[in-house]
Structure formats: structure tokens, C-alpha cells
Amino acid sequence: MSSVPDQSGSSSLLTRAGALRVPQIAAAFWIVKGLSTAMGESSSDYLVTRMDPPIAVVLGFVAFLAALTLQLRVGRYVAWTYWLAVVMVGVFGTMAADVMHVALGIPYPVSTGFYAVALAVVFLVWHRTEHTLSIHTVDTPRRELFYWAAVAATFAMGTALGDFTAYTLHLGYAASAALFAILILIPAVGYRWLGWNPILCFWSAYVITRPLGASIADWLAKPARDTGLGLGDGPVVTVLGLSILALVAYLALTKSDVQQPLQAAASDREDPALRG
């Protein structure tokens, strides 16, 4: 699938092609993505236990909109704005999933299914509109909006799925983390050795990183009576936040994950989505 600019002649600002707006997918991407999912879980838990939950959710939503607006205004991939948006999606996505269960009393299997359907709808409309789900073609505002809608849905679904395995299935956090660590190997093996569709493998792995990171964060932070290590949400957020800052600073300085048009076009022929 090509990332060549749209040749349709449309002058719409939503469809006008420009710079690529997402990073090159390599080891650094998966590391920061995993850290951001864990931080989103711990940050959400920390905030809702230290202030009125509705206020925390509103603040999370405002921060999410601010970060996403900043990212959309940049119009290209910049490490700081992109990963800030990912972290804020992680925080708000966690809150959105938790609200459905805690505030509305919706069981985790139902909320997991709801967000899975929402994600499927995003993918369906995205593909019908743009004829591709490849992140190597995210070079217009409209495609970027589809991308962030998919990202938000994966975070909410992953949060509900992680809680489903930990609570509904009574696996606890460590066993849930182990389960998702095994599951994420399936698209990796399928892509690398079995010739599976690279776009399907990428998005499958992307979804699984959310419950994997959240389960690890909960395992580290929650008390022993809840099958955790009892380190606390605050310390876990601090360590994860500093780790993300260090890695994003490195990426911002080296620009090693900035996609180039020719590089992205080649990636659609031999997609490096799960390359480590």
C-alpha cells in the first residue's frame, strides 16, 4: 500500500497530503508504547483516588483534547507532541473504561465487547474511506483523525480486557501480564515467520500492549492483598514518567524514528511493524 500523496486533486484541508505524522515502527516505538500504557493505568488510578472521580475524568478529558489538538496542529511527526498525545490517550482511555464499570456498573465482558465493536467500526470506516489501515500512509489530517480514533479505542478496550482477565477471570495481575506477554508473541511470530498480513499483525500487537502494560503497572502498584507488589501508584507513575521522558528526549534529539517518504513507501511493501 503506497504512501504516495493523494492524486485525486482534492483541495480539502482534510485530504491534502503532507508529512508523515507517526513514527517509524521499531524497537523504540514498542518500548515507549509499553511504558505509556503502563503509565496511563497508574496515572488514572492515582488521580481518581486523590480527587473526586468525576473531576479527575473531566481533567483527563481536557488534557487529552489539549494534547491531541497540539499534535494535530503540528501536522507532522514530532516526538514530544506525538508521545504526549499517546500518554494522554492512555490516561483518558483508562478512565473511560473504568467509568463504564465503576460508575455505570457495566460488567467487564460487556465493556470489552463494546470497545471492541467501537474499534471495529473505526477500522471499517477508516478502510472504506482511505482504502488502507497502514500507519505508513498517515499523512493527511483525516487519516490522522482515524489513527487517533483507533488508538483511543485500543486503549479503552485494552483497559477493560486487562480488568476482565484480572478480576472476572480471577487471574490476578501477574498471571494476566504473563497471558498477554504470550499473546503478543502470536502476531510477532505470524509476521516474522509465517507471512501474515503486516497491518493486521501491527494492530493486533498494538491492542495487546495495552492490557499487557496495564497489568504490569497494576502488579507493581497494587497491594499484596490484590495480588500486587504494593509499590504504590505514585512511585510507579514517577518511574514510568521519567523513563518515557528520557526515551522521548533521545528520539527528539536523534530523530532516529522520523519516517521518510521513500522509507515509508518501502515499508508498505515490506512492513517493519513488528521489527525489533
Side-chain angles (χ1 to χ4, degrees), residues 138-163:
V138 182
D139 61 351
T140 70
R142 188 169 69 188
R143 289 177 177 178
E144 188 175 13
L145 287 171
F146 279 124
Y147 173 79
W148 287 111
V151 168
T154 64
F155 269 87
M157 175 188 165
T159 298
L161 181 59
D163 289 335

Side-chain angles (χ1 to χ4, degrees), residues 38-76:
M39 182 177 174
E41 178 72 20
S42 294
S43 297
S44 174
D45 291 347
Y46 180 82
L47 290 172
V48 297
T49 57
R50 281 160 178 77
M51 64 177 67
D52 190 29
I55 295 177
V57 172
V58 171
L59 290 176
F61 180 64
V62 170
F64 159 64
L65 285 183
L68 185 58
T69 300
L70 181 62
Q71 164 63 20
L72 293 172
R73 286 176 63 87
V74 169
R76 59 189 175 88

Side-chain angles (χ1 to χ4, degrees), residues 24-155:
Q24 178 66 20
I25 308 305
F29 174 89
W30 293 112
I31 292 171
V32 183
K33 172 61 168 61
L35 292 172
S36 69
T37 63
M39 182 177 174
E41 178 72 20
S42 294
S43 297
S44 174
D45 291 347
Y46 180 82
L47 290 172
V48 297
T49 57
R50 281 160 178 77
M51 64 177 67
D52 190 29
I55 295 177
V57 172
V58 171
L59 290 176
F61 180 64
V62 170
F64 159 64
L65 285 183
L68 185 58
T69 300
L70 181 62
Q71 164 63 20
L72 293 172
R73 286 176 63 87
V74 169
R76 59 189 175 88
Y77 171 69
V78 175
W80 289 112
T81 56
Y82 175 85
W83 287 111
L84 175 63
V86 171
V87 169
M88 291 299 102
V89 170
V91 174
F92 179 68
T94 301
M95 291 178 172
D98 288 343
V99 162
M100 288 192 71
H101 178 76
V102 177
L104 302 179
I106 298 176
Y108 288 126
V110 176
S111 59
T112 301
F114 172 81
Y115 286 120
V117 171
L119 178 60
V121 170
V122 171
F123 281 147
L124 177 63
V125 177
W126 182 358
H127 191 270
R128 286 198 170 189
T129 303
E130 301 295 338
H131 310 294
T132 177
L133 298 178
S134 173
I135 63 166
H136 302 301
T137 62
V138 182
D139 61 351
T140 70
R142 188 169 69 188
R143 289 177 177 178
E144 188 175 13
L145 287 171
F146 279 124
Y147 173 79
W148 287 111
V151 168
T154 64
F155 269 87

